[in-house]
Amino acid sequence: MSEGEAIRKLLAEVVLDEEDRMQLAVSCELLDSGIDTARFAEPFRLLVFERRRTLMGAALVQAGNHGSKPGDHLSELEAHQNLYAQQAGMQQKMFDRVNAVCAHLAFMVVASEFRGQGIGRQLVRAAAGIERQRGRRMLTGYVWEDDLVRLYERWGFIISPPETVYFFLREKVGELRAPSAVGLNLKEGSRLILLPLVPEVRAYDIGPAGQSFPAVVGVEEKFDPSHTEMPEELTAAKERIEAFARQQLALYGPERTRAMFDAYLGQAAKKPLSAET
């Protein structure tokens, strides 16, 4: 059995769906082919723990991949395609900034006969050391079982609530700090675990009194306005809508124009997201 096949067989224990299974298979095949995956645009590494040529544990660490889907809090905007696309685009740009400083522990397993020997902790330490040297600030992962949650907590990980985790971005605008938060809706039943790789990463409760939520300060840097910019095609659509609204105001006055737009928005809300508007 090749090294890649042995790692795939061991890590198969924690593969939850077909997408994960394909990712693991491709990763192990590349390992057997001798390809340096650390040079990929979205690099990943396979870490192994072995003794006397016996594979005892393995981990797959990849680039941050959070926020690939719009959060549930955008669902109420789905009927209004332009606004939905704008908000989803802004959310993705913010997650791109989180992922740029984040490494993700996709899979990690210690063979059952070797558990309780600190092998998992050594794999995590190795992954954290490598990613810290590469400039990452956070190492994340997902867990579903309470005993694993407690284990990772002992290893220094921050544990999210079960439903949602927020990344709190602190940005310097002139001499001031401008906070913004982006929320990640977790996979059903899962919790995010996060290991800070630099002292600046902290967990806080933010939000109004009585409605605070846990968040992680993962990025602190100069303000980059790109995540607030509207995509070019949406800017053009916005200009056309504004020109049309001015024309209708001139022809029909504010009351009738408002009624026309209200009627249009009501019809748009009844159409599926894929329908033309």
Side-chain angles (χ1 to χ4, degrees), residues 76-82 260-277:
E76 62 188 35
L77 300 177
E78 288 184 359
H80 309 298
Q81 294 185 5
N82 290 341
M260 291 169 60
F261 272 92
D262 286 345
Y264 169 76
L265 291 174
Q267 292 173 3
K270 298 176 183 178
K271 295 181 180 179
L273 183 59
S274 59
E276 293 293 333
T277 58

mmCIF file of all heavy atoms in Angstrom, residues 76-82 260-277:
data_model
loop_
_atom_site.group_PDB
_atom_site.id
_atom_site.type_symbol
_atom_site.label_atom_id
_atom_site.label_comp_id
_atom_site.label_asym_id
_atom_site.label_seq_id
_atom_site.Cartn_x
_atom_site.Cartn_y
_atom_site.Cartn_z
ATOM 1 N N GLU A 76 -33.686 36.851 3.204
ATOM 2 C CA GLU A 76 -34.825 37.750 3.010
ATOM 3 C C GLU A 76 -34.631 38.688 1.831
ATOM 4 O O GLU A 76 -35.579 39.337 1.385
ATOM 5 C CB GLU A 76 -35.070 38.565 4.279
ATOM 6 C CG GLU A 76 -33.909 39.468 4.651
ATOM 7 C CD GLU A 76 -34.100 40.126 6.008
ATOM 8 O OE1 GLU A 76 -34.670 39.480 6.908
ATOM 9 O OE2 GLU A 76 -33.667 41.281 6.136
ATOM 10 N N LEU A 77 -33.396 38.745 1.288
ATOM 11 C CA LEU A 77 -33.128 39.621 0.146
ATOM 12 C C LEU A 77 -33.160 38.878 -1.183
ATOM 13 O O LEU A 77 -32.988 39.493 -2.232
ATOM 14 C CB LEU A 77 -31.741 40.280 0.304
ATOM 15 C CG LEU A 77 -31.524 41.143 1.539
ATOM 16 C CD1 LEU A 77 -30.086 41.645 1.576
ATOM 17 C CD2 LEU A 77 -32.493 42.319 1.558
ATOM 18 N N GLU A 78 -33.389 37.556 -1.152
ATOM 19 C CA GLU A 78 -33.258 36.766 -2.371
ATOM 20 C C GLU A 78 -34.219 37.196 -3.464
ATOM 21 O O GLU A 78 -33.945 37.024 -4.648
ATOM 22 C CB GLU A 78 -33.450 35.280 -2.049
ATOM 23 C CG GLU A 78 -32.278 34.680 -1.289
ATOM 24 C CD GLU A 78 -32.434 33.185 -1.059
ATOM 25 O OE1 GLU A 78 -33.465 32.630 -1.486
ATOM 26 O OE2 GLU A 78 -31.530 32.583 -0.459
ATOM 27 N N ALA A 79 -35.352 37.750 -3.092
ATOM 28 C CA ALA A 79 -36.322 38.166 -4.100
ATOM 29 C C ALA A 79 -35.866 39.406 -4.866
ATOM 30 O O ALA A 79 -36.372 39.676 -5.949
ATOM 31 C CB ALA A 79 -37.669 38.438 -3.441
ATOM 32 N N HIS A 80 -34.931 40.138 -4.329
ATOM 33 C CA HIS A 80 -34.433 41.361 -4.971
ATOM 34 C C HIS A 80 -32.995 41.093 -5.416
ATOM 35 O O HIS A 80 -32.048 41.265 -4.665
ATOM 36 C CB HIS A 80 -34.497 42.536 -4.003
ATOM 37 C CG HIS A 80 -35.848 42.696 -3.364
ATOM 38 N ND1 HIS A 80 -36.981 42.957 -4.089
ATOM 39 C CD2 HIS A 80 -36.247 42.590 -2.070
ATOM 40 C CE1 HIS A 80 -38.030 43.030 -3.277
ATOM 41 N NE2 HIS A 80 -37.605 42.799 -2.050
ATOM 42 N N GLN A 81 -32.845 40.634 -6.657
ATOM 43 C CA GLN A 81 -31.594 40.052 -7.111
ATOM 44 C C GLN A 81 -30.407 41.001 -7.017
ATOM 45 O O GLN A 81 -29.317 40.606 -6.610
ATOM 46 C CB GLN A 81 -31.760 39.548 -8.542
ATOM 47 C CG GLN A 81 -32.742 38.392 -8.657
ATOM 48 C CD GLN A 81 -32.796 37.836 -10.065
ATOM 49 O OE1 GLN A 81 -32.048 38.244 -10.942
ATOM 50 N NE2 GLN A 81 -33.692 36.901 -10.289
ATOM 51 N N ASN A 82 -30.607 42.264 -7.428
ATOM 52 C CA ASN A 82 -29.471 43.194 -7.430
ATOM 53 C C ASN A 82 -28.960 43.445 -6.026
ATOM 54 O O ASN A 82 -27.752 43.403 -5.763
ATOM 55 C CB ASN A 82 -29.866 44.519 -8.098
ATOM 56 C CG ASN A 82 -30.075 44.368 -9.587
ATOM 57 O OD1 ASN A 82 -29.601 43.403 -10.186
ATOM 58 N ND2 ASN A 82 -30.789 45.298 -10.183
ATOM 59 N N MET A 260 -45.916 52.702 -8.422
ATOM 60 C CA MET A 260 -45.417 51.838 -9.495
ATOM 61 C C MET A 260 -44.265 50.968 -9.001
ATOM 62 O O MET A 260 -44.217 49.760 -9.277
ATOM 63 C CB MET A 260 -44.968 52.698 -10.685
ATOM 64 C CG MET A 260 -46.114 53.398 -11.418
ATOM 65 S SD MET A 260 -45.526 54.637 -12.586
ATOM 66 C CE MET A 260 -44.541 53.629 -13.686
ATOM 67 N N PHE A 261 -43.328 51.564 -8.255
ATOM 68 C CA PHE A 261 -42.185 50.809 -7.756
ATOM 69 C C PHE A 261 -42.624 49.788 -6.703
ATOM 70 O O PHE A 261 -42.100 48.672 -6.663
ATOM 71 C CB PHE A 261 -41.128 51.761 -7.185
ATOM 72 C CG PHE A 261 -40.160 52.254 -8.228
ATOM 73 C CD1 PHE A 261 -40.401 53.434 -8.909
ATOM 74 C CD2 PHE A 261 -39.012 51.535 -8.525
ATOM 75 C CE1 PHE A 261 -39.521 53.894 -9.876
ATOM 76 C CE2 PHE A 261 -38.125 51.987 -9.492
ATOM 77 C CZ PHE A 261 -38.379 53.163 -10.176
ATOM 78 N N ASP A 262 -43.576 50.175 -5.853
ATOM 79 C CA ASP A 262 -44.069 49.226 -4.852
ATOM 80 C C ASP A 262 -44.713 48.016 -5.531
ATOM 81 O O ASP A 262 -44.521 46.869 -5.103
ATOM 82 C CB ASP A 262 -45.076 49.898 -3.930
ATOM 83 C CG ASP A 262 -44.407 50.851 -2.946
ATOM 84 O OD1 ASP A 262 -43.164 50.762 -2.793
ATOM 85 O OD2 ASP A 262 -45.114 51.691 -2.345
ATOM 86 N N ALA A 263 -45.477 48.272 -6.594
ATOM 87 C CA ALA A 263 -46.125 47.177 -7.308
ATOM 88 C C ALA A 263 -45.081 46.281 -7.964
ATOM 89 O O ALA A 263 -45.189 45.046 -7.940
ATOM 90 C CB ALA A 263 -47.085 47.738 -8.362
ATOM 91 N N TYR A 264 -44.048 46.889 -8.547
ATOM 92 C CA TYR A 264 -42.991 46.103 -9.194
ATOM 93 C C TYR A 264 -42.247 45.237 -8.181
ATOM 94 O O TYR A 264 -42.006 44.046 -8.415
ATOM 95 C CB TYR A 264 -42.007 47.031 -9.902
ATOM 96 C CG TYR A 264 -40.765 46.305 -10.365
ATOM 97 C CD1 TYR A 264 -40.791 45.485 -11.492
ATOM 98 C CD2 TYR A 264 -39.579 46.416 -9.650
ATOM 99 C CE1 TYR A 264 -39.666 44.800 -11.894
ATOM 100 C CE2 TYR A 264 -38.446 45.729 -10.045
ATOM 101 C CZ TYR A 264 -38.487 44.932 -11.180
ATOM 102 O OH TYR A 264 -37.372 44.259 -11.567
ATOM 103 N N LEU A 265 -41.893 45.801 -7.044
ATOM 104 C CA LEU A 265 -41.162 45.049 -6.033
ATOM 105 C C LEU A 265 -42.016 43.916 -5.478
ATOM 106 O O LEU A 265 -41.504 42.836 -5.156
ATOM 107 C CB LEU A 265 -40.700 45.972 -4.904
ATOM 108 C CG LEU A 265 -39.608 46.981 -5.294
ATOM 109 C CD1 LEU A 265 -39.332 47.929 -4.136
ATOM 110 C CD2 LEU A 265 -38.338 46.269 -5.706
ATOM 111 N N GLY A 266 -43.319 44.155 -5.356
ATOM 112 C CA GLY A 266 -44.204 43.092 -4.892
ATOM 113 C C GLY A 266 -44.264 41.931 -5.866
ATOM 114 O O GLY A 266 -44.267 40.765 -5.471
ATOM 115 N N GLN A 267 -44.267 42.212 -7.178
ATOM 116 C CA GLN A 267 -44.254 41.156 -8.183
ATOM 117 C C GLN A 267 -42.921 40.427 -8.177
ATOM 118 O O GLN A 267 -42.861 39.205 -8.309
ATOM 119 C CB GLN A 267 -44.527 41.744 -9.568
ATOM 120 C CG GLN A 267 -45.938 42.284 -9.743
ATOM 121 C CD GLN A 267 -46.102 43.008 -11.065
ATOM 122 O OE1 GLN A 267 -45.178 43.065 -11.874
ATOM 123 N NE2 GLN A 267 -47.289 43.565 -11.292
ATOM 124 N N ALA A 268 -41.811 41.173 -8.014
ATOM 125 C CA ALA A 268 -40.480 40.555 -8.015
ATOM 126 C C ALA A 268 -40.322 39.592 -6.853
ATOM 127 O O ALA A 268 -39.680 38.555 -6.972
ATOM 128 C CB ALA A 268 -39.395 41.636 -7.950
ATOM 129 N N ALA A 269 -40.944 39.927 -5.723
ATOM 130 C CA ALA A 269 -40.820 39.072 -4.538
ATOM 131 C C ALA A 269 -41.491 37.711 -4.729
ATOM 132 O O ALA A 269 -41.150 36.737 -4.076
ATOM 133 C CB ALA A 269 -41.403 39.766 -3.323
ATOM 134 N N LYS A 270 -42.462 37.643 -5.679
ATOM 135 C CA LYS A 270 -43.182 36.396 -5.900
ATOM 136 C C LYS A 270 -42.465 35.494 -6.896
ATOM 137 O O LYS A 270 -42.815 34.330 -7.050
ATOM 138 C CB LYS A 270 -44.591 36.699 -6.420
ATOM 139 C CG LYS A 270 -45.447 37.493 -5.435
ATOM 140 C CD LYS A 270 -46.795 37.836 -6.050
ATOM 141 C CE LYS A 270 -47.605 38.693 -5.078
ATOM 142 N NZ LYS A 270 -48.897 39.082 -5.692
ATOM 143 N N LYS A 271 -41.441 36.017 -7.598
ATOM 144 C CA LYS A 271 -40.738 35.235 -8.594
ATOM 145 C C LYS A 271 -39.616 34.439 -7.950
ATOM 146 O O LYS A 271 -39.042 34.866 -6.960
ATOM 147 C CB LYS A 271 -40.130 36.154 -9.667
ATOM 148 C CG LYS A 271 -41.164 36.912 -10.505
ATOM 149 C CD LYS A 271 -40.461 37.763 -11.530
ATOM 150 C CE LYS A 271 -41.477 38.523 -12.385
ATOM 151 N NZ LYS A 271 -40.797 39.382 -13.385
ATOM 152 N N PRO A 272 -39.246 33.253 -8.511
ATOM 153 C CA PRO A 272 -38.071 32.536 -8.004
ATOM 154 C C PRO A 272 -36.810 33.320 -8.287
ATOM 155 O O PRO A 272 -36.773 34.185 -9.169
ATOM 156 C CB PRO A 272 -38.106 31.212 -8.792
ATOM 157 C CG PRO A 272 -38.910 31.514 -10.014
ATOM 158 C CD PRO A 272 -39.921 32.551 -9.598
ATOM 159 N N LEU A 273 -35.751 33.000 -7.571
ATOM 160 C CA LEU A 273 -34.507 33.764 -7.681
ATOM 161 C C LEU A 273 -33.932 33.724 -9.076
ATOM 162 O O LEU A 273 -33.310 34.661 -9.545
ATOM 163 C CB LEU A 273 -33.474 33.201 -6.702
ATOM 164 C CG LEU A 273 -32.122 33.934 -6.620
ATOM 165 C CD1 LEU A 273 -32.358 35.384 -6.219
ATOM 166 C CD2 LEU A 273 -31.203 33.251 -5.636
ATOM 167 N N SER A 274 -34.187 32.636 -9.813
ATOM 168 C CA SER A 274 -33.598 32.491 -11.143
ATOM 169 C C SER A 274 -34.361 33.253 -12.222
ATOM 170 O O SER A 274 -33.908 33.374 -13.337
ATOM 171 C CB SER A 274 -33.549 31.013 -11.522
ATOM 172 O OG SER A 274 -34.867 30.463 -11.513
ATOM 173 N N ALA A 275 -35.537 33.785 -11.872
ATOM 174 C CA ALA A 275 -36.362 34.467 -12.854
ATOM 175 C C ALA A 275 -35.764 35.808 -13.225
ATOM 176 O O ALA A 275 -35.053 36.422 -12.475
ATOM 177 C CB ALA A 275 -37.786 34.647 -12.332
ATOM 178 N N GLU A 276 -36.064 36.264 -14.450
ATOM 179 C CA GLU A 276 -35.600 37.572 -14.888
ATOM 180 C C GLU A 276 -36.381 38.661 -14.161
ATOM 181 O O GLU A 276 -37.577 38.523 -13.896
ATOM 182 C CB GLU A 276 -35.796 37.719 -16.391
ATOM 183 C CG GLU A 276 -34.915 36.791 -17.216
ATOM 184 C CD GLU A 276 -33.445 37.138 -17.115
ATOM 185 O OE1 GLU A 276 -33.141 38.318 -16.857
ATOM 186 O OE2 GLU A 276 -32.598 36.254 -17.292
ATOM 187 N N THR A 277 -35.699 39.772 -13.832
ATOM 188 C CA THR A 277 -36.390 40.903 -13.216
ATOM 189 C C THR A 277 -36.239 42.119 -14.100
ATOM 190 O O THR A 277 -35.363 42.183 -14.938
ATOM 191 C CB THR A 277 -35.789 41.186 -11.842
ATOM 192 O OG1 THR A 277 -34.398 41.441 -11.969
ATOM 193 C CG2 THR A 277 -35.971 40.005 -10.915
#
